[in-house]
Amino acid sequence: MEAKPCINSLTVKNSHVLPPDTNSHGTLFGGQLMAYIDDVGAIAATRHARMPVVTASTDSVDFLHPVKEGNTICLEAFVTYTHRTSMEVFVKAITENLLTGERQVCTTAFLTFVGLDEDGSPTEVPPVYPESEEEKWLHNGAAARAEYRRKRRKDSKELADRFGADFPWDPTTNRKA
């Protein structure tokens, strides 16, 4: 497969933050922002691989600044790194007060997507290469982030095995059954 530059997958999404998108504090629901992040990330990954993709993981999402009702939210995403069947996508979300022009980065996130073949099985994705200084910086840190994700996934599987799918606590005693 032929390698592609990071910029080829660039995806931008803008939305006006309206009252139904906000909580009782007049700020964008965190879950809505996370849905936007997953959506724009999936578009960038699909654009890079030119195949269906699924979300494999989302790294921590830290809400750095509130996104207020009436502001806009602009998300930018692109593929920063690829492995055999997976792609790391960087997403940056910026809130803008349209009346003053003030802009703030409200969150950043890394997501991992896996390319799928016609049968829905993981399949090889094209390599990616960085060109700008920012892309190179993100690309150079990707292997360490991937190793962290592997460890985190192992820990998550251990938690799932330990607690299982049964109802874990006896509601009458508030203790493990």
Side-chain angles (χ1 to χ4, degrees):
M1 288 187 165
E2 188 174 329
K4 300 176 182 181
C6 294
I7 195 69
N8 280 14
S9 63
L10 179 63
T11 303
V12 179
K13 174 186 183 111
N14 284 286
S15 291
H16 202 178
V17 179
L18 300 173
D21 304 321
T22 63
N23 58 31
S24 60
H25 305 288
T27 59
L28 183 65
F29 281 117
Q32 181 64 54
L33 180 53
M34 291 168 66
Y36 288 158
I37 289 168
D38 190 52
D39 183 45
V40 74
I43 293 169
T46 304
R47 181 171 281 154
H48 174 77
R50 297 295 178 195
M51 64 183 64
V53 302
V54 292
T55 308
S57 72
T58 301
D59 290 5
S60 64
V61 176
D62 296 313
F63 302 107
L64 305 173
H65 294 283
V67 180
K68 297 176 181 170
E69 178 184 329
N71 287 2
T72 60
I73 183 78
C74 176
L75 296 98
E76 302 169 3
F78 61 92
V79 174
T80 59
Y81 182 79
T82 58
H83 199 255
R84 197 176 68 74
T85 63
S86 64
M87 296 162 278
E88 177 188 79
V89 175
F90 174 69
V91 180
K92 175 178 70 170
I94 300 165
T95 182
E96 180 180 0
N97 179 321
L98 292 173
L99 301 179
T100 67
E102 179 185 6
R103 295 168 50 93
Q104 292 180 306
V105 175
C106 56
T107 194
T108 60
F110 288 97
L111 295 89
T112 303
F113 292 88
V114 173
L116 301 177
D117 65 15
E118 308 79 37
D119 299 321
S121 297
T123 191
E124 193 171 345
V125 298
V128 69
Y129 61 89
E131 295 176 306
S132 73
E133 288 306 310
E134 292 83 4
E135 291 168 356
K136 289 174 184 175
W137 187 81
L138 291 169
H139 187 81
N140 290 338
R145 288 187 298 274
E147 181 56 37
Y148 174 77
R149 286 182 203 110
R150 278 189 283 281
K151 181 182 179 336
R152 190 183 70 217
R153 183 172 172 82
K154 180 180 173 261
D155 292 347
S156 291
K157 285 183 177 183
E158 183 179 323
L159 279 169
D161 289 344
R162 180 176 180 97
F163 289 96
D166 294 333
F167 189 67
W169 292 275
D170 178 345
T172 61
T173 63
N174 202 26
R175 286 185 285 193
K176 183 127 172 82

